[in-house]
Amino acid sequence: MTVIEQNLQQIRRQIAAAAEQCGRDPHDISLLAVSKTKPVSLIEEAIAAGQRRFGENYVQEGVDKISLLRPRYPDLEWHFIGPLQSNKTRQVAAHFDWCHTVDRLRIARRLNDQRPDAVPPLNVLIQVNISEEASKSGIMVAELPGLAAEIAALPRLRLRGVMAIPAPEASYARQLAVCQQMAAAFHHLQAVHPEADTLSLGMSDDMRAAIAAGSTLVRIGTAIFGARDAGAANPNNPH
Ligand SMILES: *Cc1c(COP(=O)(O)O)cnc(C)c1O
């Protein structure tokens, strides 16, 4: 068994345990393997271990990996989870299946206009700055209904829910409180947009709290693929 396979099995057990602890069905929580900065050979080990959903942060790196792996593994699902500038939207629209980091209408419109007709609509999550950090991407909760309504009207996008990267918290109780605020925002969104079925919340350090709060998609990198090089630090999460 490869290390990647062992790691994946352990994460799946942790997800199942966290779900059972709060009375949720583990099948309602999907695992996104965050493969940024990691080589294709490790992604292929994860594929061999049954992993199908992968997240990438950097547009060009993601597009290179997708171009290589899509022909061989057509059933993989590729999620863009990094900060998105408008000059990179065309690449994301052309190659990815999901984008988690939409936080302004201008970006949403470009993704919509640039999504090729030959592929299904792009699945979109609105990024919420739930910890209200000045330096972070994402909209405030109060702005969510307005942006959601505008995105829902774009025919080449499918509004699937919300995503957040909460600030690190010292205790489980604090993590849970922030994750529950995010879940409340998600439930308000669902009341108006019942098609929104995805709460992308939880990373290696706050996965348990995110699942307790209702996350449906946890994004795990380090615990699957090992630590990333310091030179390739995550721009979303410099802590
Ligand atoms: C890098 C990253 C992750 C994975 O973080 P780990 O701490 O390696 O599990 C999850 N979500 C986003 C948005 C990321 O950029």
Side-chain angles (χ1 to χ4, degrees), residues 11 32-36 55-58 80-83 100-101 127 163-165 200 202-206 218-228 232-237:
I11 295 289
L32 184 67
V34 177
S35 45
K36 62 183 177 209
E56 290 284 341
N57 281 60
Y58 310 100
F80 185 74
I81 63 171
H100 289 218
T101 48
Q127 184 173 357
M163 175 271 212
I165 310 171
S200 168
M203 309 186 11
S204 296
D205 290 336
D206 61 356
V218 293
R219 309 178 307 263
I220 307 294
T222 307
I224 298 171
F225 295 108
R228 291 175 292 273
N234 171 11
N236 275 331
N237 188 18

Side-chain angles (χ1 to χ4, degrees), residues 149-191:
E150 299 195 273
I151 289 177
L154 297 172
R156 299 299 295 146
L157 303 184
R158 255 183 94 191
L159 178 64
R160 296 296 296 272
V162 284
M163 175 271 212
I165 310 171
E169 297 287 352
S171 70
Y172 177 81
R174 282 293 309 152
Q175 287 181 347
L176 184 62
V178 175
C179 288
Q180 283 171 337
Q181 283 175 30
M182 190 60 201
F186 175 53
H187 292 134
H188 284 128
L189 178 77
Q190 278 187 312

Side-chain angles (χ1 to χ4, degrees), residues 14-95:
Q14 287 170 357
I15 291 172
E20 273 151 25
Q21 254 175 35
C22 56
R24 296 186 60 198
D25 182 345
H27 295 107
D28 292 341
I29 301 147
S30 300
L31 171 59
L32 184 67
V34 177
S35 45
K36 62 183 177 209
T37 79
K38 298 298 179 179
V40 164
S41 58
L42 291 189
I43 298 177
E44 288 194 286
E45 286 187 19
I47 296 168
Q51 181 63 32
R52 288 291 172 270
R53 294 184 178 86
F54 292 91
E56 290 284 341
N57 281 60
Y58 310 100
V59 175
Q60 194 54 54
E61 178 190 339
V63 169
D64 289 346
K65 289 172 175 173
I66 294 169
S67 304
L68 224 108
L69 291 168
R70 181 92 80 188
R72 276 185 258 165
Y73 309 98
D75 62 332
L76 298 186
E77 210 175 75
W78 291 96
H79 294 235
F80 185 74
I81 63 171
L84 184 51
Q85 268 100 48
S86 41
N87 62 342
K88 300 281 176 63
T89 52
R90 185 177 298 280
Q91 294 271 72
V92 171
H95 295 280

